[in-house]
Amino acid sequence: MNATKVNWEIPSLCVITGASRGLGRVLSLSLTKKLPRNSIIALIARSEEGLKGTKQLIEECDKETQVITIPMDLTTVSATQVEQLLAKVCQFVESCPVKIDQAFLIHNAGTIGDISRKASMFKDGDEITRYFNLNFNSAVILTSVFLEKILKDNIKFRHIIHISSLASQKAIDGWSLYCSGKAARNMYFKVLAQEDPSLSIISYGPGPLDTEMMKEILENALPEVGAFMQKVSNEGKLLKCETTVARLFTILEEGKFKSGDYVDVFDKL
Amino acid sequence: MNATKVNWEIPSLCVITGASRGLGRVLSLSLTKKLPRNSIIALIARSEEGLKGTKQLIEECDKETQVITIPMDLTTVSATQVEQLLAKVCQFVESCPVKIDQAFLIHNAGTIGDISRKASMFKDGDEITRYFNLNFNSAVILTSVFLEKILKDNIKFRHIIHISSLASQKAIDGWSLYCSGKAARNMYFKVLAQEDPSLSIISYGPGPLDTEMMKEILENALPEVGAFMQKVSNEGKLLKCETTVARLFTILEEGKFKSGDYVDVFDKL
């Protein structure tokens, strides 16, 4: 069954992680521009400074979007914490002058992990656990609490956007944790989508982006991978965040994918 | 590049997790029968009792295979522990009267997790961490330590057999942790295979097996999944462990898969 098409005319609640910079910031701004006034946007990230910056940009662009900033470290997050922090979001939804009938939960936060070491060089269980806490567990906990507390049945259209990566499909030397974590997330959301057909879920591969994470990749990747990414960068083939967000929005509007599927920025649908 | 074909004539070291029962026990016995005398087989599992049982069965079948039992709880395993426990295995390899020229590391241990709850009902980060410790982290740690300490260059042919599942490819209601964990493992081994072409790695989906785990599935699965599996069972379509092991051995002998790929018992290669 194809996913429900997004209708940008509906006053919406957006909750987005990793909203302090890069793709998360651009996504937050683009959603503000796309959605009607009185929509609510909740920004989650570790950096309070970064969240303030995103909030300011949103307010400069549209004073009537309600912005909530939620500083949260997803590495150590618990359900109780998420529940407490989301109580604020619930209040905004309930006191909103218009009926919020659409919600987006956007899992954008993520780290690349140590990409300078091969798969056979990971021996520290705690290191792997820390990576999965941030890049897998937190997404599961956030999703579960949101579905219980916020994306309730009184919000008619419910979309989950999982920012994934081509690395969830394709092995990249040195990226064993990143590839595995993204593959695990894709599969978690695939199961969720199958279990609950009322949700519309996409795992989206945004392509190689011109962000801080790319700088980290160019600095730390194994030589061959680093050289390849440098070539992509030199040839001007890195995508701007705005470009990949525009493609994502078209994919969401057209709804030509099966809920739970992985869709890449370069896929023809 | 296709995987290296397994040659059953070569004296080998086999290290196998989850060797105390079910598929692990049958795999251990079948390897003993297939490999030449003086091969070494190291059995890892939590249950000492179960390991003794497998050891006894092996010795009844072939007195000249050297069997080492290693009781180990993979939920809490650390690299240091693995290193200590493997010192014993190294001694066996070094003092073996014939040259051990082939090694198999077989990741068979695994748990199904709580399959009675939907994906949106997992809110306890510690529960997810415990699941991944056993079903992902331990496989990574074991692999890394083995490649460093045992599967050294002086052992010419090195095979890693990852017992995966069709659930790594296909979402099953209620199996969010199992599906995600297997998807993560597949991807980890895919990266490892790409990084080290001298290794021959398979992620093998053994099919629906007539084991203790199947009883657990029939008892705890969500109603529709449980009913489906019950039907498969009633129709006599559960595979015997011996059947899937025979198919796995043929796949390994023929080597018609790319190292790092997922291969299902029912795949035509």
Side-chain angles (χ1 to χ4, degrees), chain B:
Chain B
M1 196 180 64
N2 274 358
T4 309
K5 294 175 185 180
V6 165
N7 177 346
W8 300 111
E9 308 295 318
I10 302 172
S12 303
L13 163 69
C14 307
V15 178
I16 175 164
T17 65
S20 59
R21 60 176 192 161
L23 180 60
R25 177 171 279 183
V26 173
L27 264 167
S28 306
L29 268 169
S30 307
L31 283 164
T32 306
K33 290 176 190 162
K34 204 82 179 169
L35 288 167
R37 293 180 169 195
N38 284 312
S39 288
I40 301 167
I41 186 153
L43 310 171
I44 298 176
R46 195 173 43 182
S47 157
E48 272 192 68
E49 201 64 31
L51 287 177
K52 274 186 205 160
T54 305
K55 184 176 194 231
Q56 197 180 328
L57 288 169
I58 292 177
E59 286 172 345
E60 282 168 13
C61 139
D62 178 1
K63 284 208 180 342
E64 286 182 65
T65 292
Q66 303 184 68
V67 188
I68 314 161
T69 56
I70 305 177
M72 201 193 282
D73 183 353
L74 294 173
T75 315
T76 53
V77 81
S78 73
T80 318
Q81 271 179 294
V82 177
E83 282 163 11
Q84 283 165 0
L85 291 161
L86 290 186
K88 205 161 85 173
V89 177
C90 287
Q91 285 169 8
F92 269 79
V93 173
E94 282 157 20
S95 63
C96 188
V98 298
K99 170 97 173 71
I100 297 292
D101 237 351
Q102 183 166 254
F104 297 88
L105 172 55
I106 306 175
H107 294 287
N108 165 68
T111 55
I112 189 89
D114 183 351
I115 53 169
S116 70
R117 283 184 291 154
K118 293 193 173 182
S120 60
M121 291 169 76
F122 288 88
K123 297 198 297 181
D124 177 0
D126 291 339
E127 180 186 8
I128 305 170
T129 295
R130 277 194 303 277
Y131 187 82
F132 271 80
N133 277 350
L134 172 55
N135 291 287
F136 181 76
N137 299 20
S138 77
V140 174
I141 296 168
L142 262 176
T143 303
S144 296
V145 175
F146 266 78
L147 288 174
E148 188 183 36
K149 299 285 174 194
I150 295 199
L151 306 186
K152 283 180 289 201
D153 295 335
N154 59 347
I155 295 186
K156 202 167 170 190
F157 304 104
R158 299 171 301 160
H159 302 272
I160 296 179
I161 299 168
H162 161 223
I163 300 299
S164 183
S165 165
L166 190 59
S168 67
Q169 315 289 309
K170 204 182 132 30
I172 302 179
D173 290 7
W175 297 28
S176 58
L177 286 189
Y178 188 75
C179 290
S180 306
K182 290 292 189 192
R185 274 167 65 141
N186 282 11
M187 187 43 98
Y188 169 79
F189 287 112
K190 204 167 170 172
V191 175
L192 179 63
Q194 184 173 288
E195 287 173 353
D196 189 346
S198 79
L199 299 171
S200 209
I201 306 182
I202 189 171
S203 284
Y204 178 64
L209 301 181
D210 189 8
T211 57
E212 290 295 315
M213 193 187 268
M214 185 53 70
K215 286 184 196 151
E216 214 182 317
I217 291 171
L218 292 174
E219 259 174 41
N220 302 325
L222 292 173
E224 274 185 38
V225 175
F228 175 79
M229 295 310 290
Q230 188 62 63
K231 190 166 166 278
V232 170
S233 172
N234 293 346
E235 289 171 354
K237 288 184 184 160
L238 294 183
L239 301 182
K240 283 193 176 163
C241 291
E242 288 76 6
T243 310
T244 200
V245 168
R247 176 68 189 135
L248 170 62
F249 283 6
T250 304
I251 293 168
L252 294 173
E253 274 160 40
E254 296 180 345
K256 289 187 193 157
F257 60 95
K258 192 179 156 214
S259 179
D261 272 3
Y262 172 81
V263 182
D264 196 83
V265 60
F266 298 118
D267 284 349
K268 310 263 173 264
L269 295 180

Side-chain angles (χ1 to χ4, degrees), chain A residues 156-174:
Chain A
K156 202 167 170 188
F157 304 104
R158 299 171 301 160
H159 302 271
I160 296 179
I161 299 167
H162 161 221
I163 301 300
S164 182
S165 166
L166 189 60
S168 66
Q169 316 288 308
K170 202 181 133 30
I172 302 178
D173 290 7

Side-chain angles (χ1 to χ4, degrees), chain A residues 75-143:
Chain A
T75 315
T76 54
V77 82
S78 74
T80 318
Q81 270 178 295
V82 176
E83 282 163 11
Q84 283 165 0
L85 291 162
L86 290 186
K88 206 161 85 172
V89 178
C90 287
Q91 285 169 8
F92 269 79
V93 173
E94 280 157 21
S95 64
C96 188
V98 299
K99 171 96 173 71
I100 297 292
D101 237 351
Q102 184 166 255
F104 297 87
L105 173 55
I106 306 174
H107 294 287
N108 165 68
T111 54
I112 189 89
D114 183 350
I115 52 169
S116 69
R117 282 185 292 154
K118 292 193 174 184
S120 60
M121 292 171 75
F122 287 88
K123 296 199 296 181
D124 177 1
D126 291 340
E127 180 186 9
I128 305 171
T129 295
R130 278 195 303 277
Y131 187 81
F132 270 80
N133 277 350
L134 172 56
N135 291 287
F136 181 77
N137 299 20
S138 77
V140 174
I141 296 167
L142 261 176
T143 303

